[in-house]
Structures are given as structure tokens and as C-alpha cells.
Amino acid sequence: MKRRGAGLAGAMIILCAWAAWGAPLDEIRRILRDRALHPPGEPVLSALQETTLKRDLKDIDPYARYIPARDYRSPAWGSDVRVGIGAELMERDGNVLLSVYSGGAAYKAGIPDRSRLLAVDGQPVKSGDIQVVADLLRGKEGEPVRLRTLTPEGRKRTFQVSRVSFRAPAVETIEVKGGPVIRIRQFQSGLTRSALRATMEFLLQRRPPGPGTGPKPFVLDLRDATGGDLYEALDTASMFLAPATLLGTMVDRDGNRRKFVSPAGEKKTMPLVLIIGPDTASAAEIFAGALQQNNRAVLVGEQSYGKCSSQTDVHLSDGSVLRFTNSEVLLPDGSSCSGQGLAPDHEIPGTAFLSLPELVSRACAALGN
Amino acid sequence: MSPKQITIAALVLLLSGCVTGGDDPRQGGFFGGVSGLSSGRYEDRVKEREARLEQLRATQRGLDAEKGSLDANRSAALARVDADRNRVAAMQSEIAALEQNTRTLTARQGADQKRVQDLQQRVAELKAGMRNQASSLDALEGSGLGDSDMDLRRKQLEAQRNGLRREYELLMQMQMELAQ
């Protein structure tokens, strides 16, 4: 549903040229006039131009985008196979950090998650260089790249990583002291819920609870979950909530409300801890908010991003796509997280927030486990 | 110390080497061996070495069996991936047939265009989902993941495939309704 402006930026993301030549402007005007959550006035619509379409759309709706047909990829198609180091770049306090995919090339080379990137093939990484770094990391399959890093423990280490093709999984598991952590980065339509269910069942089989002890909480890391499919997020939340529990409410431009409740079916009852942070956004916030407000999960970490709106993709007559905000999503208590984010039940800021073992340890301590 | 004193001292050490020979063959050597031969410990040492050799052989057999079991697990895991791949291929054929029927439907029916368009879009998404499944299974084979990780990934894909199967059945039903 969104990517944070200066925050998480894919090392393997495809750069869009944003060439809006030939964009069907009249069609775009009509759609925004008739369907946008906050329809712009006629003078604004009339001023839309091909040459400045990207900026014009952003002025109307920060999440609106025009996507030429050749660049469009439906969110329902899942993630692409991409050649790279199997990590994403994120900027934090002026540093470029690696968010390492479990099972990817960087992971196999032994690079710890959240390592700070100091140099790529001898070129020093400077603050604000995230796009330059992303370009440096791109390359052909099999080509090695040398990464100078500062690990979360403060050790400088150099790794040689061969770029390989890799598809980001919907759900990853990360082994840390204290048990496995499940990481979700995107709510992918038709993929995340089923993968999460399979993962939990797999982990439960491997680690059945000991006699006389309560079930250990499952820790879900949503720090890098920047959004995805709203319905998938609601479906996933419903795995943990009793039938007929309110998950959220969608409100359109005319004030029409559509409530979503948890359907009947098998429910997972183990305690849940969700790690959230400033990059946790959109569908991930709605998922976390539904579980927090129904007292089904404890949230730890830092304040989330604050985007509880939903976008839709409309195919235009030339095959291109207009993405725009069409509704606001309210949490079970009727509030919206837009602009303020979710507050964690236990705040764990600073360097501890970057260290998964530390987060898990402090979260478990807070819960008395 | 005079040369004579050194000689005596060395002799004392050598003699003490003879008499302190224990049962541990690692403390044997020439003097120990001579001592053992004269005292009957040589046979003990031979037996002990044989026993130790047998122990090493048993360890080797255990390791071989473990490797065989790991290889078998690996083969079984790869066979399961292969079976999954066949299931995906079968589903891809079914979806191709559904897509073909959907195209015919579009040509035949002028009405209900919105539902037909919706169906076509969902069939396209389903096709993409199956393509992802196929390439994920291919990637799994050469991923170098351990058995446990591979098993987990396979289970995730299986659960996702079950979801795609349900979507396929729903779309089949939609297609049949529209064809009536």
C-alpha cells in the first residue's frame, strides 16, 4: 500500500521512470473526481499535466500514482524474483542499514540483520545515499560485491556476497536466542495468511509446549512491514480473533461504512507479541491495531508510521493504472491511525529496537515470560 | 653435574620409564612395550587397541548411517518438491483451460461484461500465483537450505497452493454461472 519516503527503500527495487507521456488525463480527472476519498477541486484537476503528473498527483493525494502499463505489477501477483544481495536498505539516523532476508545471499554470507553499510566495493556510503547505494548493489546474477559493514555489535566486518536471484518470501522465520521470530514484510494477497498459518503450525510441531508451562508467545516482527493488501491483513488478523469480532471499518467518501468481522473457522489461541516501528505502516498497522484493540496481542517497539487509508488500482483505457486513496480504515474502536500511528504497549526505543534478540528478550521480560 | 652423573640420571629416568608403564597404550612406546611384554600387558594392549579400533569402526558406521539417513531425508525432501512441482504443473493446465473457456465466454456473451472482466482479471492473478509457485519450487531445489528450512518453505508453499486451489474452484463456478 505504501513505501515510506525516506525510510525503507528496496535495494532491488525497480526504478520507475515516471514517464507520463500520453497519460489519459481526462480519464484520470474523471476517476479522481468521482472516486477519490478527498476529491480535488476542478481548478486542480484542470491543472494536471503529463510533464508534471507525478508531482501533481502527489499534491492531490500523497499515495496517488500513475503507473505506465509496462511498469505495472498487480499487488495480487506476489513479489517478483529479483537479482541482488537478498536484503533491503533502510535509512535510520542518517545511516544506511541492511534488512537481511532470511535465506538470501547476504544471510548466507553471514551478514547480521541491521548491519550498517559502510562501503560497497570500496566506495564509502554517505548519509542520504540510499538510492546511490541501491544502484551500486544492483548487478548481474553471480557477480560478487564487497560490503564493508558495522555489525549491530559494533564490529567492522567485510563480506563478499554473490548476487543471486531471489524471491522474497511472504513470511520468514529468524532464529534468535529465546526462540524463533516470524517476520512479515508485506501482506501479499492470498499468500501471507496461509504462509503464516503453515509457519506457526510447523514451529508448534517442532517445539511443543513443555508440561505444566503455558504456551510461549509467538513473536511477529512487523518492523519492516510497510503494508500490502488490506483484505489479506484483515484475513490474517481474523486467524487470531473469535468469530464476529470487529476487525475494522472502511469508510468511503460518502461516509458509507463497511464493517469487517472475523469469520468462523479454526482460530489460533497462542499469545502474540507484535514488534512495530516507524516503518510499520498501512495494512500492517490495521493488522496490529485490530489485534491490539481486541486485547489479542501485545505491541512492543516504537510508534508506527500512521497510515490507515486504503488505495485502489484502476486500469485506464491505454493499459496504464491510476492508484489513489479511496477510503479510510478505522480500527475496532472507531479511531484512525492516520497521522499518529499506533503506540506500542511497551516502548523499546534506541539501539535495542535494532537488535532482534534484545527486542525479544525485553518483550518477554515485559510479559513476565 | 659431571658426564658420569648425567649418564646415571638418564639411566634412572629410563628405568623409571619402564616401571611406571600403566595400562594406557598411549603411554606405551618402546620401553612400555618391553615392560608390557615381560609382564603380560602387551596382550592387554593389543586387545585394547582392537577394542578401540572396533569403537572407531562403530563410530564410522554410525556416521555412515547418519549420512545415509540425511541423504535419504534430502532425497525424500527433493522428491516431495518434485511431487509438488507436478501438482503445480497439473493446476497450471487446469487454469489454462479455464482461461481458454473464459475467452470463449467473452466472445459469446455481450452482457455481464463487468463480471466477465472481473473473472478474467482474477484468472490472470491466479495464473501469476501459479507461476510464482512453480518458480519458488524451482528455487527451493537449489536453495542450499537445510532440511528443516526447506520443509518449512515447502509447507508454506503448500498452504498457499491450497488457497490458489480454492480460488480456482471459485472461478470455475463463476465461469460456469456466466456460461449458463
Side-chain angles (χ1 to χ4, degrees):
Chain A
M1 278 163 97
K2 68 122 236 171
R3 281 242 165 233
R4 192 160 195 218
L8 207 61
M12 303 172 290
I13 55 169
I14 298 162
L15 283 174
C16 294
W18 287 104
W21 298 109
L25 292 180
D26 283 341
E27 228 177 316
I28 292 172
R29 289 186 185 105
R30 180 173 50 77
I31 291 166
L32 291 175
R33 185 186 299 121
D34 296 346
R35 297 176 59 183
L37 178 63
H38 302 296
E42 282 307 318
V44 175
L45 288 174
S46 302
L48 285 180
Q49 287 180 45
E50 288 176 357
T51 48
T52 53
L53 189 59
K54 179 185 175 186
R55 197 190 58 213
D56 294 348
L57 287 174
K58 288 270 174 226
D59 288 344
I60 293 170
D61 168 0
Y63 306 113
R65 275 180 73 189
Y66 169 76
I67 309 167
R70 65 176 179 278
D71 295 333
Y72 181 69
R73 201 173 186 290
S74 167
W77 295 353
S79 58
D80 263 330
V81 173
R82 292 177 290 190
V83 173
I85 63 163
E88 295 207 37
L89 299 179
M90 51 190 290
E91 201 167 327
R92 203 169 171 89
D93 302 329
N95 297 318
V96 178
L97 306 184
L98 289 169
S99 171
V100 175
Y101 278 101
S102 192
Y107 172 87
K108 285 179 186 166
I111 301 180
D113 187 37
R114 260 71 182 172
S115 289
R116 184 179 150 197
L117 203 49
L118 302 175
V120 178
D121 281 337
Q123 291 197 44
V125 169
K126 292 177 200 145
S127 174
D129 263 0
I130 202 153
Q131 199 53 60
V132 176
V133 177
D135 290 340
L136 288 173
L137 290 174
R138 285 196 194 94
K140 289 181 184 156
E141 181 152 20
E143 273 183 0
V145 59
R146 219 156 51 87
L147 307 178
R148 182 87 173 133
T149 65
L150 182 69
T151 67
E153 293 77 35
R155 287 178 59 206
K156 282 185 181 173
R157 290 185 64 187
T158 302
F159 297 90
Q160 176 129 324
V161 184
S162 278
R163 298 171 176 98
V164 292
S165 59
F166 179 70
R167 185 197 303 282
V171 172
E172 301 162 66
T173 54
I174 303 147
E175 287 293 337
V176 297
K177 195 182 165 192
V181 172
I182 300 172
R183 179 178 287 169
I184 299 174
R185 294 180 196 250
Q186 279 281 315
F187 285 88
Q188 296 174 14
S189 175
L191 300 178
T192 301
R193 175 192 154 98
S194 50
L196 179 61
R197 180 183 285 274
T199 304
M200 287 183 148
E201 284 166 3
F202 181 86
L203 295 175
L204 278 174
Q205 274 177 359
R206 255 181 48 188
R207 296 185 182 189
T213 60
K216 275 183 77 173
F218 266 98
V219 182
L220 269 57
D221 182 7
L222 300 173
R223 286 176 300 166
D224 299 342
T226 53
D229 186 83
L230 171 68
Y231 296 109
E232 189 70 14
L234 293 171
D235 268 352
T236 310
S238 74
M239 268 171 59
F240 306 102
L241 292 167
T245 307
L246 183 63
L247 303 167
T249 307
M250 204 186 249
V251 186
D252 70 12
R253 56 191 263 157
D254 299 321
N256 297 317
R257 288 172 176 250
R258 191 173 163 202
K259 288 187 173 185
F260 297 97
V261 295
S262 178
E266 188 200 332
K267 302 294 177 184
K268 300 280 175 209
T269 57
M270 66 289 278
L272 293 173
V273 173
L274 310 183
I275 306 173
I276 60 164
D279 291 317
T280 309
S282 198
E285 287 180 293
I286 289 158
F287 168 78
L291 294 176
Q292 184 189 35
Q293 293 194 359
N294 283 300
N295 298 314
R296 186 59 192 83
V298 174
L299 270 51
V300 302
E302 292 182 357
Q303 188 93 1
S304 66
Y305 179 75
K307 173 186 176 288
C308 274
S309 59
S310 135
Q311 286 69 47
T312 188
D313 288 352
V314 173
H315 290 261
L316 307 174
S317 54
D318 67 345
S320 59
V321 169
L322 178 68
R323 179 172 294 169
F324 61 97
T325 303
N326 66 337
S327 62
E328 189 68 25
V329 183
L330 305 180
L331 298 172
D333 70 355
S335 66
S336 168
C337 77
S338 290
Q340 51 202 359
L342 300 173
D345 299 301
H346 298 281
E347 196 171 1
I348 305 177
T351 51
F353 178 74
L354 296 178
S355 161
L356 200 51
E358 181 74 17
L359 272 169
V360 171
S361 156
R362 288 178 62 172
C364 289
L367 295 173
N369 274 285
Chain B
M1 193 183 280
S2 70
K4 193 179 175 185
Q5 282 174 313
I6 291 169
T7 310
I8 292 167
L11 193 62
V12 169
L13 283 173
L14 289 175
L15 287 172
S16 64
C18 292
V19 295
T20 55
D23 286 338
D24 185 349
R26 285 169 298 188
Q27 292 180 6
F30 177 74
F31 293 105
V34 170
S35 167
L37 186 63
S38 60
S39 65
R41 284 191 189 143
Y42 179 74
E43 287 81 0
D44 291 346
R45 284 200 166 79
V46 169
K47 277 183 193 161
E48 194 157 359
R49 282 176 183 171
E50 279 174 351
R52 184 166 166 72
L53 198 60
E54 182 47 42
Q55 206 175 29
L56 286 171
R57 283 186 185 131
T59 306
Q60 185 62 48
R61 279 196 298 274
L63 288 172
D64 285 347
E66 199 178 320
K67 184 180 177 301
S69 165
L70 284 173
D71 285 348
N73 285 347
R74 192 86 190 150
S75 299
L78 291 177
R80 282 195 290 271
V81 171
D82 222 32
D84 286 347
R85 202 183 277 129
N86 289 338
R87 286 188 197 105
V88 167
M91 271 184 75
Q92 281 180 312
S93 301
E94 289 175 314
I95 292 165
L98 172 66
E99 190 183 31
Q100 184 60 40
N101 290 343
T102 310
R103 276 205 208 105
T104 322
L105 190 73
T106 321
R108 271 213 319 258
Q109 302 244 142
D112 238 345
Q113 274 305 311
K114 175 81 184 71
R115 284 190 74 195
V116 171
Q117 275 174 12
D118 181 39
L119 177 65
Q120 282 176 331
Q121 192 182 328
R122 284 172 71 173
V123 169
E125 287 169 3
L126 186 62
K127 262 181 82 173
M130 291 312 296
R131 270 201 305 275
N132 283 355
Q133 275 268 323
S135 62
S136 295
L137 285 167
D138 288 344
L140 197 55
E141 204 167 38
S143 63
L145 289 175
D147 286 348
S148 177
D149 287 339
M150 191 192 239
D151 205 25
L152 169 59
R153 185 79 188 107
R154 207 183 61 76
K155 282 185 192 304
Q156 288 180 345
L157 290 171
E158 187 181 0
Q160 290 170 346
R161 195 168 57 250
N162 290 341
L164 292 172
R165 161 66 65 184
R166 283 192 292 276
E167 172 75 353
Y168 167 75
E169 283 160 6
L170 204 69
L171 296 182
M172 273 294 282
Q173 205 178 328
M174 260 176 85
Q175 189 266 329
M176 284 193 292
E177 280 170 14
L178 282 164
Q180 277 172 4

